Amino acid sequence: MEKERPTLGTLLRHALDLLDGDVQRAYDADGLDYRPRYTPIVRVLFSHGEQSIRAISREAGMTHSAVSQTVAQMVKTGLVSIRPGDDGRERIVAATDRLGSMRTALEKRWRATNAAAEALNAELSCPLDTVICEAIAALERQPFLDRIMAQSSRVE
């Protein structure tokens, strides 16, 4: 009996585990108490200074919920602080001195990581980042749930 091919979700999780796991090991080797999932938020803060959760969400291309959860983790590790905004519902996120002291090492690691990603892309039949961007655009045009529901009547 032939082994079934892993499903799309399984393949994506495995690829992300391989990528993020090694990025994490690189941060650990640098002696940085830092997680790959912090990077989109930190890049926004380094580029624009303190920002609201909503602004970070927009700029980083992440959901409000994902930014809130990640920022909560970052507060616990002392990388960012939060203060109320002008609107009582708004929260403003700022980099702490601890995060600022990591900036040079993080930026060096990001350059090396981006170069490694370019080298990986060169080995593939189609650059991975191109395919992922195309998939995101297609899913924004038609969410996966809509696609699942459209196929539901066609499968047994």
Side-chain angles (χ1 to χ4, degrees):
M1 184 171 168
E2 192 173 319
K3 183 177 176 182
E4 268 189 54
R5 180 181 174 160
T7 61
L8 178 61
T10 300
L11 292 169
L12 287 171
R13 274 187 289 284
H14 184 63
L16 189 57
D17 286 346
L18 291 171
L19 293 168
D20 267 3
D22 281 345
V23 172
Q24 182 62 61
R25 283 184 275 287
Y27 290 135
D28 293 345
D30 291 341
L32 298 170
D33 182 15
Y34 186 85
R35 304 287 167 261
R37 72 177 295 161
Y38 301 164
T39 300
I41 294 165
V42 172
R43 285 183 175 273
V44 171
L45 295 175
F46 282 174
S47 295
H48 302 291
E50 63 180 35
Q51 296 288 307
S52 69
I53 298 277
R54 184 180 321 275
I56 293 169
S57 175
R58 265 193 318 269
E59 187 71 24
M62 297 170 64
T63 65
H64 189 278
S65 176
V67 171
S68 291
Q69 290 172 11
T70 303
V71 164
Q73 291 177 341
M74 295 172 74
V75 167
K76 288 179 185 176
T77 61
L79 296 176
V80 298
S81 62
I82 297 178
R83 66 172 176 77
D86 296 335
D87 175 344
R89 298 169 295 176
E90 186 177 57
R91 295 181 300 154
I92 305 299
V93 181
T96 62
D97 290 343
R98 181 169 185 259
L99 180 58
S101 71
M102 299 167 74
R103 185 173 184 156
T104 299
L106 287 171
E107 289 177 343
K108 180 179 179 185
R109 178 54 54 212
W110 295 339
R111 286 190 301 275
T113 301
N114 289 337
E118 288 176 21
L120 173 62
N121 278 338
E123 291 182 38
L124 305 176
S125 60
C126 180
L128 185 58
D129 55 347
T130 300
V131 173
I132 291 171
C133 287
E134 289 174 359
I136 289 168
L139 291 168
E140 287 173 345
R141 282 191 305 274
Q142 182 183 9
F144 202 53
L145 177 59
D146 294 351
R147 295 165 189 269
I148 292 169
M149 299 312 282
Q151 295 301 319
S152 292
S153 63
R154 297 180 184 163
V155 297
E156 294 179 19

